[in-house]
Amino acid sequence: MSETATTSGKTPVDFWFDPLCPWAWMTSRWVLEVEKVRDIEVHWHIMSLAVLNEDRIDELPEEYREMLATKAWQPVRVVTAAWQKHGADVLGPLYTALGTRIHNEGEGPSREAVVAALDEVGLPADLIDYFDQTDFEFDAELRASHKEGIEKVGQDVGTPVIAVPGPDGEQIAFFGPVVTPAPKGEEAARLWDGTLAVASVPGFYELKRSRTVGPDFSNL
């Protein structure tokens, strides 16, 4: 989507997430808070930490390699299958149900968490069959969605990726914002206004500092 407004007249925000990533989860809760205080409309898309890192997996720490080989594929396969079989409108509710269990409630990306999330949003229970499907039926669709987000922002990033309207109506994509805890109310609005402000500057690319704390889910 490259328009500066949706058919509803709201400002579009395209958001790429991997349900496993706690930082994407924090950012997603922020952007949903922004929906309450600014006239925006979020469109959810899938990206994959496993796909992102598969060409450099041997360079990563052993613990992270093990995670990418199993857990990083499982929830995102189920979410992709739900999207392909039931449409993009299921992505937001399913991500919320799944992320709440994985992150806020500390269940991690377990089969049980995914089963419960599917049940909560009224999706068929047999979608869990994709959890361990190594010859994944919708692999091409998952990779295409991932590629769309990464091509907007560049290869040297992770998740989340957001795309917002920039100068002359073109989309400007960023990795982030990486923030914890998720801002609420007017604080969320100010961060959104700042995101649009930097997107309006054609030559703006990066503003960063080192993280000193982990993700804080206490206000979610």
Side-chain angles (χ1 to χ4, degrees):
M1 178 180 294
S2 59
E3 298 85 2
T4 56
T6 64
T7 55
S8 65
K10 297 182 178 182
T11 300
V13 183
D14 288 282
F15 192 110
W16 280 263
F17 69 93
D18 183 320
L20 190 66
C21 178
W23 295 104
W25 176 245
M26 301 299 299
T27 307
S28 73
R29 300 310 93 182
W30 160 71
V31 82
L32 287 178
E33 184 73 11
V34 175
E35 276 195 322
K36 302 175 185 177
V37 292
R38 292 290 187 269
D39 208 20
I40 73 168
E41 183 174 292
V42 183
H43 302 270
W44 302 99
H45 309 273
I46 300 167
M47 66 181 298
S48 167
L49 290 170
V51 172
L52 181 70
N53 290 286
E54 64 184 353
D55 291 335
R56 63 185 190 96
I57 195 166
D58 292 339
E59 305 168 13
L60 302 173
E62 182 178 355
E63 182 179 349
Y64 197 53
R65 291 201 305 268
E66 292 176 358
M67 182 273 293
L68 289 173
T70 55
K71 294 178 182 179
W73 285 108
Q74 292 165 334
V76 80
R77 285 183 182 131
V78 176
V79 174
T80 302
W83 161 45
Q84 287 299 299
K85 290 192 164 191
H86 301 280
D89 287 347
V90 307
L91 286 175
L94 181 55
Y95 182 30
T96 291
L98 190 54
T100 299
R101 288 169 172 79
I102 291 175
H103 304 295
N104 297 5
E105 297 174 6
E107 296 180 29
S110 65
R111 174 182 287 268
E112 293 75 16
V114 177
V115 167
L118 291 171
D119 180 66
E120 179 180 326
V121 298
L123 286 167
D126 62 4
L127 284 168
I128 196 62
D129 294 344
Y130 293 96
F131 190 81
D132 290 317
Q133 189 183 82
T134 53
D135 186 16
F136 183 42
E137 178 180 349
F138 301 111
D139 185 69
E141 289 81 1
L142 168 59
R143 290 175 182 275
S145 179
H146 174 88
K147 181 180 179 182
E148 181 186 11
I150 287 296
E151 284 188 342
K152 288 179 181 295
V153 73
Q155 295 292 328
D156 55 341
V157 300
T159 176
V161 168
I162 66 169
V164 301
D168 302 320
E170 82 262 27
Q171 272 193 324
I172 301 296
F174 296 111
F175 162 62
V178 176
V179 60
T180 187
K184 300 289 187 179
E186 187 55 32
E187 186 180 35
R190 288 197 301 271
L191 181 55
W192 167 251
D193 295 342
T195 301
L196 289 185
V198 297
S200 72
V201 179
F204 177 84
Y205 291 100
E206 187 172 346
L207 182 69
K208 186 175 182 178
R209 62 175 178 166
S210 297
R211 293 195 296 265
T212 58
V213 296
D216 178 359
F217 309 126
S218 60
N219 68 344
L220 298 180

